[in-house]
């Protein structure tokens, strides 16, 4: 299996779509997410950040009309927000940073607030309200604690969303922010399942040697067991990937054809070829595509 072969397979999936993939990237200070950009020639991407100057800088670097930088925050209700601007601007949040953390954890000094600004916001549902951009398929939310607020402002569009890449906190970095359990319950109630936690972030109160309790990651086949030594520190946040539950074989519900195709395509952008197979294999009218992909994967394994 070669990369060109997989790229060709993506083009086969794209040709089956009734409309380009529509993406929302909230918290795009350094540019659109790389997974989005893997499909950008066949996608429409709206990137949100309340810093108008940063949006203008990024837009000037982006040729074509596929990636749009929007100088607004996303929220649950479209109100004007107080933005706590932090030492690292990418860590700015509508929730106040926990003062104990940025004072006592060297790695979290970047969340120390340096200014308080007001910013305008919009909900996803209002922004996409006229439906002219097509159905929303893919979301990436990295907004330092306000991710659940954004989801609550996306209720009308969530039924068409296939995958969500979202930052979640297991222990709060910002005062009053929702944590993983809140986000997970909301997403499960709206038809999503957790697929993977590809990034776990730990912080300690000082420079410490490697911990004696390593982090272990296991997957099938068994030889994929890996051990890492992240040092000391408490788990604070993670990157989480959620997928539409209908596309998983253990769920009895049947996704519509376009949702299955889009889920397969988005999963391929992350390199989740097993998830691509699951989404395509769920329906009789996309099963032939799953068989073709399985053949490509088998060639690569030989």
């Amino acid at each position: 299996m070669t990369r060109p072969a997989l790229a060709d397979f993506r083009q086969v999936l794209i040709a089956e779509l009734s409309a380009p993939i529509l993406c929302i990237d909230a918290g795009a200070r350094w540019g659109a997410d790389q997974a989005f950009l893997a499909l950008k020639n066949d996608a429409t991407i709206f990137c949100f950040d309340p810093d108008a100057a940063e949006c203008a800088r990024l837009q000037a670097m982006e040729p074509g009309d596929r990636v749009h930088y929007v100088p607004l925050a996303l929220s649950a209700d479209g109100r004007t927000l107080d933005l706590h601007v932090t030492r690292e601007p990418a860590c700015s949040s509508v929730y106040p940073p926990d003062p104990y953390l940025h004072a006592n954890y060297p790695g979290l000094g970047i969340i120390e607030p340096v200014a308080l600004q007001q910013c305008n916001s919009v909900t996803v549902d209002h922004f996409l309200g006229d439906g002219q951009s097509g159905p929303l398929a893919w979301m990436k939310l990295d907004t330092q604690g306000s991710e659940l607020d954004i989801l609550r402002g996306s209720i009308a569009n969530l039924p068409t969303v296939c995958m969500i890449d979202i930052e979640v906190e297991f222990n709060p970095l910002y005062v009053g922010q929702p944590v993983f359990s809140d986000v997970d319950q909301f997403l499960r109630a709206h038809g999503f399942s957790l697929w993977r936690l590809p990034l776990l972030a730990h912080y300690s109160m000082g420079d410490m040697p490697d911990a004696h309790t390593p982090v272990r990651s296991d997957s099938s086949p068994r030889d994929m067991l890996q051990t890492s030594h992240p040092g000391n520190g408490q788990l604070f946040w993670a990157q989480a990937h959620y997928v539409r539950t209908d596309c998983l074989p253990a769920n009895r519900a049947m996704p519509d054809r376009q949702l299955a195709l889009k889920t397969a395509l988005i999963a391929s952008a992350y390199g989740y070829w097993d998830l691509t197979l699951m989404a395509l294999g769920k329906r009789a009218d996309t099963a032939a595509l799953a068989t073709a992909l399985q053949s490509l994967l088998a060639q690569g394994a030989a």
Side-chain angles (χ1 to χ4, degrees):
M1 177 181 59
T2 64
R3 289 186 181 274
L6 292 179
D8 290 344
F9 184 79
R10 285 199 184 102
Q11 291 303 311
V12 172
L13 293 180
I14 288 167
E16 296 286 330
L17 299 181
S18 59
I21 295 282
L22 177 60
C23 313
I24 291 286
D25 187 342
R29 182 169 187 84
W30 294 311
D33 188 82
Q34 289 300 307
F36 287 166
L37 294 179
L39 302 177
K40 80 170 185 176
N41 292 334
D42 303 284
T44 300
I45 308 167
F46 291 105
C47 302
F48 290 82
D49 193 281
D51 188 333
E54 176 70 358
C55 284
R57 182 186 73 83
L58 291 168
Q59 193 69 71
M61 298 168 57
E62 189 61 55
D65 59 355
R66 290 296 190 182
V67 183
H68 309 272
Y69 288 91
V70 184
L72 292 170
L74 289 175
S75 68
D77 53 15
R79 71 188 186 281
T80 299
L81 302 171
D82 288 329
L83 181 69
H84 300 266
V85 180
T86 53
R87 189 194 305 175
E88 166 50 67
C91 295
S92 301
S93 176
V94 299
Y95 290 90
D98 187 320
Y100 183 83
L101 296 181
H102 61 71
N104 291 281
Y105 285 72
L108 292 174
I110 58 176
I111 69 170
E112 180 182 5
V114 297
L116 183 65
Q117 299 176 354
Q118 287 195 322
C119 65
N120 295 323
S121 78
V122 67
T123 68
V124 169
D125 287 343
H126 180 75
F127 185 80
L128 299 177
D130 59 13
Q132 293 183 10
S133 300
L136 180 62
W138 194 0
M139 301 178 76
K140 190 220 83 178
L141 306 178
D142 181 3
T143 55
Q144 308 305 116
S146 65
E147 292 84 1
L148 182 55
D149 300 325
I150 295 170
L151 289 170
R152 287 172 172 153
S154 310
I155 294 294
N157 282 277
L158 282 179
T160 64
V161 174
C162 306
M163 290 194 71
I164 298 176
D165 180 337
I166 185 169
E167 182 176 304
V168 293
E169 269 73 23
F170 291 93
N171 293 289
L173 295 170
Y174 302 86
V175 178
Q177 73 163 113
V179 292
F180 170 75
S181 57
D182 304 309
V183 174
D184 185 69
Q185 289 182 44
F186 179 92
L187 286 174
R188 289 183 185 279
H190 287 84
F192 294 89
S193 292
L194 179 63
W195 179 255
R196 183 170 292 193
L197 298 173
L199 174 62
L200 301 172
H202 299 75
Y203 296 92
S204 70
M205 295 183 69
D207 294 328
M208 304 290 289
D210 280 350
H212 294 293
T213 52
V215 173
R216 306 189 77 190
S217 177
D218 194 6
S219 62
S220 179
R222 292 289 298 176
D223 60 6
M224 295 302 294
L225 177 66
Q226 296 179 350
T227 301
S228 63
H229 298 269
N232 286 270
Q234 184 178 12
L235 174 64
F236 274 90
W237 63 270
Q239 180 187 22
H241 288 167
Y242 280 82
V243 63
R244 175 65 57 186
T245 305
D246 291 359
C247 291
L248 298 178
N251 185 272
R252 294 184 179 181
M254 183 64 66
D256 70 47
R257 189 171 190 274
Q258 286 297 306
L259 191 146
L261 288 166
K262 288 179 181 180
T263 300
L265 183 60
I266 294 166
S268 80
Y270 289 116
Y272 296 155
W273 293 104
D274 53 347
L275 180 53
T276 300
L277 284 169
M278 289 178 187
L280 294 175
K282 194 77 183 285
R283 292 182 56 92
D285 57 2
T286 55
L289 291 169
T291 300
L293 175 59
Q294 187 70 67
S295 177
L296 283 176
L297 295 170
Q299 292 171 30

